[in-house]
Amino acid sequence: MILFLDFDGVLHPEFCNQGEELFCHRDKLELILRDYPQVEIVISSTWRQTRSLAELQALFSPDIGPRIVGVTPDWRDLPKLCEVIGYYPRHVEVEGWLRQANRVWERWVVLDDRDYWFRPFLPNLVWCDPTIGIDDVVERKLRLKLNQ
């Protein structure tokens, strides 16, 4: 199972300051992920554009960071896939990573706050309210997906 992870609007409210709110839900996500040790993580957040894989891994606990196995490509580098999927940038990036990694047949889930960046009614998407991030409702939905 692969988890495609956004940061802003998921691990903290979308427009939070650099203070206490930043990554305020990281511990909650890490507790969930510890119950699913088979889940690998791919960063789909825009944070991937300004940080290396090692820097992204260092944002998490020592037992979770190494489970981050990559970052999604930029949708603008995938014009043929955009023609197939349509203008759903994050969806294109997820599909692009799956194809580049030769893992298209694996189960996957997305944790994101922008449902409009994915095809409508995508069953793999767990949506977060961007003003909150991960809450108890999101946790239940994510656990259901990870149990499938």
Side-chain angles (χ1 to χ4, degrees), residues 69-116:
V69 297
V71 299
T72 55
D74 190 292
W75 65 272
R76 291 170 286 226
D77 297 330
L78 304 164
K80 291 186 181 195
L81 202 50
C82 287
E83 290 175 18
V84 173
I85 294 174
Y87 184 72
Y88 300 102
R90 189 80 33 100
H91 194 152
V92 169
E93 292 169 347
V94 167
E95 291 286 347
W97 187 89
L98 290 166
R99 290 172 189 217
Q100 290 173 1
N102 198 27
R103 296 177 73 173
V104 294
W105 303 112
E106 290 191 44
R107 293 183 312 124
W108 56 274
V109 64
V110 176
L111 191 54
D112 207 298
D113 67 316
R114 296 186 182 189
D115 56 349
Y116 54 88

Side-chain angles (χ1 to χ4, degrees), residues 34-102:
R34 286 185 182 106
D35 289 339
Y36 302 91
Q38 77 283 6
V39 174
E40 294 178 302
I41 306 158
V42 175
I43 304 301
S44 55
S45 171
T46 55
W47 285 55
R48 74 192 193 284
Q49 296 169 341
T50 57
R51 290 164 182 82
S52 69
L53 181 59
E55 289 171 317
L56 294 167
Q57 290 169 325
L59 295 171
F60 293 84
S61 297
D63 63 320
I64 300 296
R67 292 169 58 183
I68 299 173
V69 297
V71 299
T72 55
D74 190 292
W75 65 272
R76 291 170 286 226
D77 297 330
L78 304 164
K80 291 186 181 195
L81 202 50
C82 287
E83 290 175 18
V84 173
I85 294 174
Y87 184 72
Y88 300 102
R90 189 80 33 100
H91 194 152
V92 169
E93 292 169 347
V94 167
E95 291 286 347
W97 187 89
L98 290 166
R99 290 172 189 217
Q100 290 173 1
N102 198 27

